[in-house]
Amino acid sequence: MSEELVDIAVGRIGHMCAFDYDMCLMYVLGGYNGYNKEMQTKYLSSQELWIYDTLIEKWSMRRCTGEMSTTDIPAGTSGASCIISSHYLYMFGGYTEEGNSNQLFRLNLKNFQWKQLEPLGKRPLACDKSVCWIYDNKMYLFGGYGCVPIETRDERNFDFVYDPKSHWHYPRGWNNQLVYYDLTFNQWVWFKTEGKVPIPRAAHAVAKVGHKVYIFGGRHEELRMNDIYSLDMKQMSWTEVYSFNDNNETSVPIGRSWHSFTPLSDKQIILYGGFSQDNKPLSDCWALDIESMTWSTIDLPFNKPRIWHSSIASSFGEIIIFGGATHNILDLQNLRNIKDLYSGDIIVLRFVPKSLLRLCLDASVMNYHLLHKQWKYLPRNVKHMLELKKNTIQTNSAGS
């Protein structure tokens, strides 16, 4: 359970990411960043928890253990889902070396110990590339790509579309299952909703704003979509907000999968990147006005395509994007150096000026030679932040 200060996290795609607003910390787990000689995916260990402090802009890494034994530690995974509640991180599903999983794990963020949970109730389908959110102390899961259900269509309350091109160890497909894990009673609960349910999909994205959840895009069979559905969590009712799929329309984002869709405020959601219908990595950025349900483009001073990355809204009015693929992950043969595929960079989309505290930290470190003698008079926590910030800036300057 030791902490290691690092300059940059290991580049990866298909990882999990969650944000602790109380601590201003972004947690990153799992994913993969390469292949072995047999072209099998190189999954990153769940024993490594990467932590990005958004206040001082510094990475660290924690070694995690199992609460009772190593069986409590999840296998290396891509496409899993996670949420944070209190001081716990909950992780469901994903794809491992053994195939799709429907296991649920909990990581204690105080002692960094994993525990495999055994909830009551019927488990969700084993799948990856689903989305999740937390509401009323419940972890909700929607959609994904994975195992064929055992039940017949008449016996289940969701749809499943078989993928005839699935080339893994067993048949798979897309689903639109909606189920929640009750954190209080440790059980899975299946329930019914009203309204028009989104069609099965995977690699879609979700944004929760207040008591409403918004689903954007994702892949259904050969189609990468740009539709929007909302779920009213009080009424448990779906609404089809937007069903446009003409990729020639310029006033809305084109269809995509493996994108991020992050709530910036109670009025805006930010869309970034993804994988287009014609298999191109995207670098466009859009803002969705929730009240009018209209899109507007955001012009960025850079062009950084990202696929299957992660994104969080920090406590400082900014969107932080980490990792992801920079090229077409389905066409590795035309990639000169496969190491270039996996990004370890952070992209910051800043919508308000930096806070006074962060500006003061930056200025104090940049003028270290003038001010460092006065640092000893500062409160211990402020001095600690300055020392960490100083190490970050010095390291980055040395490598530039």
Side-chain angles (χ1 to χ4, degrees):
M1 295 183 289
S2 61
E3 180 181 34
E4 301 175 20
L5 296 179
V6 291
D7 302 319
I8 187 171
V10 174
R12 65 194 67 204
I13 64 177
H15 49 287
M16 294 171 291
C17 181
F19 186 64
D20 186 330
Y21 287 91
D22 294 331
M23 302 296 293
C24 299
L25 300 177
M26 179 176 75
Y27 295 97
V28 174
L29 271 168
Y32 66 94
N33 72 341
Y35 299 87
N36 58 24
K37 294 181 180 179
E38 290 74 32
M39 288 304 292
Q40 295 173 326
T41 305
K42 180 184 174 184
Y43 293 100
L44 295 167
S45 173
S46 297
Q47 292 181 274
E48 294 184 356
L49 176 67
W50 296 79
I51 307 170
Y52 184 71
D53 190 320
T54 59
L55 175 60
I56 62 173
E57 300 167 294
K58 179 70 177 178
W59 281 106
S60 61
M61 192 268 286
R62 285 278 187 174
R63 302 284 179 181
C64 303
T65 60
E67 182 174 289
M68 300 299 294
S69 68
T70 56
T71 59
D72 279 319
I73 303 173
T77 309
S78 67
S81 303
C82 75
I83 56 101
I84 286 180
S85 178
S86 183
H87 62 279
Y88 292 107
L89 182 146
Y90 294 83
M91 164 191 163
F92 170 80
Y95 196 86
T96 72
E97 291 181 352
E98 303 299 321
N100 276 117
S101 167
N102 63 354
Q103 298 291 328
L104 181 67
F105 293 87
R106 186 181 69 191
L107 177 63
N108 188 322
L109 296 174
K110 289 187 175 180
N111 60 19
F112 301 98
Q113 290 184 342
W114 282 105
K115 180 179 181 180
Q116 182 174 355
L117 302 179
E118 296 293 344
L120 302 172
K122 175 188 166 187
R123 293 180 183 178
L125 287 183
C127 64
D128 60 336
K129 297 184 282 291
S130 59
V131 295
C132 73
W133 63 92
I134 186 166
Y135 183 83
D136 193 25
N137 209 37
K138 300 176 179 67
M139 176 183 179
Y140 287 82
L141 296 162
F142 174 75
Y145 183 81
C147 298
V148 177
I150 299 175
E151 307 91 340
T152 66
R153 186 167 186 171
D154 294 335
E155 295 173 328
R156 60 180 187 260
N157 64 344
F158 61 91
D159 297 319
F160 181 89
V161 177
Y162 169 67
D163 181 7
K165 295 183 179 180
S166 58
H167 56 281
W168 302 94
H169 304 301
Y170 48 86
R172 299 199 294 167
W174 298 269
N175 69 72
N176 62 355
Q177 64 179 348
L178 178 60
V179 58
Y180 69 77
Y181 169 69
D182 192 313
L183 278 66
T184 303
F185 297 103
N186 186 35
Q187 65 178 352
W188 289 111
V189 178
W190 295 78
F191 60 100
K192 293 183 178 180
T193 57
E194 303 294 330
K196 185 177 180 180
V197 180
I199 61 175
R201 64 192 63 208
H204 44 301
V206 65
K208 181 174 73 71
V209 181
H211 67 277
K212 288 192 175 182
V213 171
Y214 299 89
I215 304 289
F216 176 81
R219 180 175 173 179
H220 172 87
E221 297 187 271
E222 298 300 321
L223 180 64
R224 294 189 176 97
M225 302 171 290
N226 64 348
D227 56 353
I228 302 174
Y229 282 81
S230 70
L231 176 64
D232 188 313
M233 298 300 295
K234 291 183 178 179
Q235 303 297 325
M236 284 300 164
S237 178
W238 286 103
T239 300
E240 183 182 26
V241 178
Y242 183 77
S243 60
F244 204 88
N245 271 303
D246 185 355
N247 281 334
N248 294 319
E249 175 63 50
T250 58
S251 62
V252 297
I254 62 174
R256 65 193 67 202
S257 59
W258 282 326
H259 48 284
S260 58
F261 193 52
T262 314
L264 179 64
S265 66
D266 58 357
K267 296 181 180 179
Q268 276 191 326
I269 303 174
I270 304 300
L271 169 69
Y272 188 87
F275 203 40
S276 71
Q277 182 66 37
D278 53 355
N279 295 344
K280 291 182 179 179
L282 300 170
S283 60
D284 55 341
C285 186
W286 297 74
L288 175 66
D289 184 289
I290 299 174
E291 293 182 354
S292 64
M293 278 296 153
T294 56
W295 290 99
S296 59
T297 57
I298 298 176
D299 294 326
L300 300 176
F302 52 79
N303 179 36
K304 296 183 178 181
R306 291 294 184 273
I307 303 171
W308 213 358
H309 50 285
S310 62
S311 175
I312 60 98
S314 78
S315 305
F316 308 111
E318 60 193 11
I319 301 293
I320 297 179
I321 295 164
F322 169 71
T326 58
H327 298 78
N328 182 355
I329 62 176
L330 303 180
D331 186 22
L332 300 179
Q333 293 180 347
N334 293 323
L335 189 64
R336 292 184 179 180
N337 187 350
I338 198 169
K339 292 182 180 180
D340 296 335
L341 180 66
Y342 309 98
S343 171
D345 295 338
I346 279 182
I347 299 172
V348 179
L349 307 179
R350 189 167 288 120
F351 296 88
V352 296
K354 266 194 170 185
S355 67
L356 181 59
L357 172 59
R358 298 172 86 197
L359 288 173
C360 288
L361 290 174
D362 291 344
S364 297
V365 171
M366 295 304 294
N367 294 282
Y368 174 77
H369 61 292
L370 296 175
L371 303 174
H372 72 279
K373 291 183 179 180
Q374 282 73 45
W375 284 15
K376 62 184 179 181
Y377 302 112
L378 294 170
R380 182 180 299 177
N381 63 327
V382 176
K383 186 168 69 172
H384 180 64
M385 286 189 290
L386 285 171
E387 290 291 347
L388 292 175
K389 186 76 175 175
K390 175 174 70 71
N391 294 337
T392 301
I393 292 178
Q394 287 179 342
T395 301
N396 291 341
S397 298
S400 60

